[in-house]
Amino acid sequence: MQRLNLLFKGWGRRTAWAALIVFVAIQGGFPALTHAPRLALFDFYERTFPRLEHTSPVVIVAIDERSLRAVGQWPWPRQIDAQLISKILVGHPAALGLDLILPERDRQSPEEWLRYASAMPASLQAAIRRLPSHDSLLRDAIAKGPVMIGVAGLRLAKGEPDSGPLAPFRVVAGNGALKLGVPLPRFDAALRSIPLLDNAAAGHGVLSIDADSDGLFRRLPMVSSVSGRLAPSLSLEMLRLAAKAPWIDLYPDGDGDVLGLGVGPLTLPTQKDGSIWVNFSPHDPRRFVSAVDLLSGWTDARALAQRIVLIGITALGTIDQRLTPVGYMPGAEIHAQLLENVLEGRLAHRPNWARYAEPALALLLGLWLIVMLPLVRLRWQVFVGIIPLLLLAALGIGFWRQSLALVDVATPAIGDAFIFVSLLAGSFVEADTQRRRLRRELEERKIASARAEGELAAGHRIQMGMLPTVTSVAGDRRFDLHALIVPARQIGGDLFDFFKIDRDRLYFSIGDVSGKGVPAALFMTLGKSLCHSWALRGETEAGTILAQANAEISRDNPEMLFITLFAGILNLQTGELGFCNAGHEPPYLLRPRRPPDHIASMGGPPLCVVEDFPYTTETIRLEKGDLLCLMTDGVGEAMTATGELLGSERVRTILAGVSENASAKAIAEGLHAGVNRFVAGAEASDDLAILTLRWNG
């Protein structure tokens, strides 16, 4: 009793038991729900282990592209069909099947042509009437041998019941009589060839085949119900003619299911609906003989002796292309492959015991998981769960390779995966309950961390919002400007600023605060605001602006921070640039047809390093098309994961590769992209800012 209780101990096992019971009930009571994975598994068998060799007992005389080019478009005049059939019958085949239906008279026949011809001499009309009818020529050819002609089943709400000739059936009832139409394919009427041809044929086979629900053809019905009468399929009727059997034996059980069929010495086990699974081989051209080769005599009809021959249309563009597990193929080739299966004595089949064995497999392997999985450590549980899947795969493939038995191991595999997941899910629920107290504490810490992250995110948005945008100075064609900034953290210490002091003067600056994070951002904001304020007051000397800002922020600097800053004022009318460099990396000057180079300057120390330092303004005159590229040390000191720095030479190389006609935005973004390529995803070691300015003249 104690051991039994262990089987239900814990959330994991109880959940797995519930999953096992539900799945076995679904598998046994609702097989339609597992239909799709079952068919997918059977297709896997066919594609992975196809029938590779065959003895070619069946030959398809193909009305292919070559035949159509040589003879003409389809349908051909029936005297040509008669010639083709006569050529084949000369070789004495075991049976000849027409995978065709000829429901109308041949309009190219002489008597048909006269009906639509215009006035002509009476002697000519008499001569044409003496010509033999094409349909009668074809009838005579069909009547000379064991020829089967096709019949199409029709499902109509109303229609004339079929009364044409069909092969007789002998129902060999064991426990009861066959209930017609259940579960056989049922057709209310039939489409036949014209009576002249239909009555001349020695056999009549139903051509109509229903695909599976996903549109693939995997099975062929061997017998159907047409207007309440048993009718053989093309394949079954061909076997009857080849065996010279006067009738077909049908073996039903007491419920009306079909157990098998007999044709002469052959006994064919079938599925309960009278169908047989086709053991496909890939499309093989050796099965085919072109109709034009027989008509022209290039192929000797004696090669068809004692073989089953099918005439079918295989030309591209015809509607008789069917999708099978191994690809598209003509309908005649599907029938040919089934006939090969029968004559070789190896039929694919789904054993009757499979519908009981498959739920039993799911149950036994589910019990294995429920008992064994909780007993092993977590790192071994995956291997324990894989063992049933490997066993199922070996069983399924083994049955198919040895006896062509289609055993559905996909459904038990899905069930075991369902149980495995349920068992793990239940175990995780149990573990979650035990860790709830620790999780609550962790959640509290996460909330505090998220609150801090939210404050930093808000600070980032405020900081970015304080920086000017390019649109604020857009519209003046005398210059082209772009700027970007990438903080190493959410909040950084780099800065840039630009605005027009008046109609003809543009102020711009870029700087870097020592340190990172919130203190650097606050100090950056203070320095930017002071420089911005002095420039707006009308100060036109960059050196004076930096000197005034240095004096203000040096008074109260408890963190001993400093700012490297480059500021300039560009006269948009003349191109004269007045600038001052407070310890910042000098900008690059990009002139057409010249290599990039730094702007030389005397400069001064960073702001807040030397109080009351007398910063002076230096000047340079830009030429039309000159571009200034200003950047912080986050560019040159960009570092790979191994600690290698980008360096000024690589920066110069990147800028030298820029097109002379590139915009300020393209140059800034190209430099940033070059930095990203160099660091190759390594974490940023410093803030990065880039400002590009071109004077257009």
Side-chain angles (χ1 to χ4, degrees):
M1 187 67 179
Q2 184 176 2
R3 292 182 178 178
L4 185 62
N5 289 336
L6 287 175
L7 292 177
F8 296 93
K9 183 179 180 181
W11 275 97
R13 277 180 168 158
R14 289 195 290 270
T15 304
W17 273 109
L20 177 60
I21 293 171
V22 169
F23 186 81
V24 172
I26 290 174
Q27 189 178 6
F30 304 94
L33 296 178
T34 60
H35 187 63
R38 182 184 305 120
L39 293 182
L41 175 68
F42 296 165
D43 292 345
F44 169 78
Y45 292 157
E46 294 272 18
R47 286 192 296 266
T48 309
F49 308 104
R51 184 168 56 99
L52 297 178
E53 296 182 0
H54 54 83
T55 57
S56 300
V58 183
V59 177
I60 301 172
V61 176
I63 300 172
D64 53 11
E65 288 86 351
R66 284 205 307 123
S67 301
L68 295 182
R69 286 196 298 268
V71 179
Q73 67 180 12
W74 184 261
W76 291 339
R78 287 181 189 163
Q79 83 274 20
I80 298 178
D81 298 338
Q83 293 173 21
L84 178 61
I85 292 173
S86 298
K87 290 270 189 180
I88 295 171
L89 292 178
V90 167
H92 301 290
L96 171 59
L98 305 182
D99 189 12
L100 308 167
I101 300 174
L102 306 171
E104 297 179 352
R105 291 181 296 182
D106 186 1
R107 294 193 177 184
Q108 301 180 64
S109 187
E111 73 280 2
E112 291 295 319
W113 185 79
L114 282 176
R115 292 174 58 188
Y116 303 102
S118 58
M120 64 179 65
S123 58
L124 180 57
Q125 291 187 23
I128 293 175
R129 287 194 179 93
R130 286 194 295 270
L131 294 175
S133 166
H134 291 180
D135 289 326
S136 62
L137 292 175
L138 181 56
R139 175 203 60 194
D140 295 340
I142 291 173
K144 290 179 181 178
V147 179
M148 184 226 74
I149 197 165
V151 176
L154 302 176
R155 294 185 176 96
L156 303 172
K158 295 180 181 180
E160 292 294 330
D162 179 67
S163 58
L166 290 171
F169 276 78
R170 184 176 66 173
V171 178
V172 184
N175 299 323
L178 179 70
K179 302 172 185 177
L180 290 180
V182 181
L184 302 179
R186 181 173 181 176
F187 301 100
D188 303 314
L191 177 65
R192 291 176 174 266
S193 299
I194 59 175
L196 182 70
L197 304 177
D198 196 54
N199 294 328
H204 302 79
V206 176
L207 306 182
S208 303
I209 305 171
D210 291 328
D212 287 324
S213 56
D214 57 357
L216 267 70
F217 290 84
R218 302 178 178 88
R219 298 177 292 170
L220 291 182
M222 302 302 288
V223 59
S224 306
S225 173
V226 177
S227 298
R229 298 188 300 159
L230 293 176
S233 68
L234 180 152
S235 303
L236 184 60
E237 185 69 343
M238 293 292 288
L239 290 172
R240 184 185 73 83
L241 293 179
K244 299 180 180 179
W247 61 74
I248 300 170
D249 290 327
L250 187 143
Y251 301 94
D253 64 8
D255 298 325
D257 295 341
V258 180
L259 299 176
L261 296 161
V263 178
L266 292 176
T267 300
L268 309 178
T270 66
Q271 303 302 305
K272 65 181 182 179
D273 60 354
S275 65
I276 295 180
W277 295 83
V278 183
N279 180 19
F280 285 99
S281 67
H283 174 74
D284 190 347
R286 293 177 298 174
R287 288 192 183 97
F288 296 85
V289 173
S290 180
V292 71
D293 290 342
L294 280 169
L295 288 170
S296 61
W298 296 335
T299 297
D300 191 349
R302 288 177 295 182
L304 307 178
Q306 296 307 309
R307 294 194 181 189
I308 295 177
V309 181
L310 291 172
I311 297 178
I313 303 174
T314 64
L316 293 177
T318 65
I319 61 173
D320 198 32
Q321 293 290 326
R322 311 292 176 91
L323 181 60
T324 71
V326 296
Y328 282 96
M329 62 178 60
E333 188 174 6
I334 300 176
H335 287 286
Q337 296 219 32
L338 179 59
L339 290 169
E340 290 171 359
N341 296 166
V342 173
L343 297 176
E344 291 169 4
R346 282 182 59 81
L347 292 177
H349 63 287
R350 180 153 164 75
N352 291 330
W353 51 261
R355 58 180 177 176
Y356 305 108
E358 291 157 3
L361 273 174
L363 180 61
L364 290 175
L365 296 177
L367 289 174
W368 156 269
L369 292 175
I370 292 173
V371 172
M372 295 300 299
L373 211 58
L375 300 181
V376 298
R377 295 184 177 180
L378 183 61
R379 63 171 176 259
W380 296 107
Q381 288 184 354
V382 173
F383 297 100
V384 173
I386 288 175
I387 290 175
L389 300 180
L390 295 177
L391 177 62
L392 289 171
L395 282 174
I397 294 173
F399 276 118
W400 174 255
R401 296 295 301 274
Q402 292 299 318
S403 60
L404 297 181
L406 293 165
V407 179
D408 177 17
V409 296
T411 303
I414 293 172
D416 289 338
F418 184 41
I419 294 164
F420 181 81
V421 171
S422 300
L423 192 60
L424 291 183
S427 300
F428 283 136
V429 170
E430 189 173 2
D432 181 69
T433 303
Q434 296 174 356
R435 298 190 186 101
R436 193 169 298 168
R437 183 178 303 171
L438 294 176
R439 183 175 295 173
R440 187 181 303 113
E441 180 181 347
L442 180 61
E443 289 297 328
E444 291 174 355
R445 293 180 180 179
K446 285 183 178 180
I447 291 172
S449 176
R451 187 177 293 119
E453 285 289 330
E455 292 174 355
L456 288 175
H460 174 76
R461 291 193 299 271
I462 294 172
Q463 182 187 24
M464 293 299 104
M466 294 179 63
L467 297 175
T469 62
V470 175
T471 57
S472 64
V473 294
D476 195 329
R477 297 183 179 180
R478 293 175 292 177
F479 70 94
D480 181 18
L481 181 146
H482 190 75
L484 60 87
I485 187 168
V486 182
R489 301 175 185 173
Q490 283 191 317
I491 298 178
D494 284 7
L495 64 93
F496 62 76
D497 196 10
F498 51 83
F499 58 90
K500 292 179 70 173
I501 299 174
D502 52 33
R503 183 182 180 279
D504 293 328
R505 285 179 296 176
L506 174 70
Y507 169 85
F508 62 94
S509 63
I510 190 168
D512 186 3
V513 180
S514 60
K516 301 179 185 69
V518 175
L522 294 174
F523 205 66
M524 178 273 283
T525 303
L526 177 61
K528 171 183 173 297
S529 299
L530 287 171
C531 293
H532 192 100
S533 175
W534 281 102
L536 285 178
R537 292 178 187 178
E539 182 58 60
T540 59
E541 295 292 327
T544 303
I545 293 175
L546 264 60
Q548 296 290 348
N550 180 52
E552 290 290 338
I553 59 179
S554 296
R555 294 175 185 173
D556 188 10
N557 185 12
E559 297 293 328
M560 302 298 293
L561 298 176
F562 60 86
I563 304 175
T564 67
L565 187 68
F566 182 95
I569 297 176
L570 174 63
N571 189 315
L572 299 175
Q573 197 67 19
T574 64
E576 182 178 359
L577 171 65
F579 65 91
C580 182
N581 190 346
H584 197 78
E585 181 179 357
Y588 284 90
L589 175 62
L590 278 69
R591 279 182 167 161
R593 295 175 296 280
R594 297 184 188 179
D597 202 1
H598 287 295
I599 294 179
S601 64
M602 296 294 294
L607 304 184
C608 299
V609 171
V610 177
E611 190 173 353
D612 297 328
F613 183 85
Y615 292 98
T616 60
T617 301
E618 300 177 69
T619 60
I620 185 175
R621 185 174 295 276
L622 299 182
E623 299 176 4
K624 181 179 180 180
D626 284 355
L627 182 137
L628 297 174
C629 182
L630 299 84
M631 64 194 74
T632 59
D633 57 4
V635 175
E637 295 177 5
M639 187 183 302
T640 65
T642 59
E644 184 181 2
L645 295 177
L646 179 65
S648 60
E649 287 303 318
R650 288 192 177 96
V651 173
R652 196 186 306 271
T653 301
I654 294 172
L655 293 176
V658 175
S659 170
E660 294 181 358
N661 299 322
S663 64
K665 179 179 180 181
I667 294 174
E669 292 179 347
L671 179 58
H672 184 212
V675 173
N676 288 336
R677 286 194 299 271
F678 177 76
V679 300
E683 184 178 359
S685 59
D686 199 359
D687 305 329
L688 178 151
I690 301 172
L691 188 149
T692 52
L693 171 63
R694 170 177 278 118
W695 182 60
N696 295 324

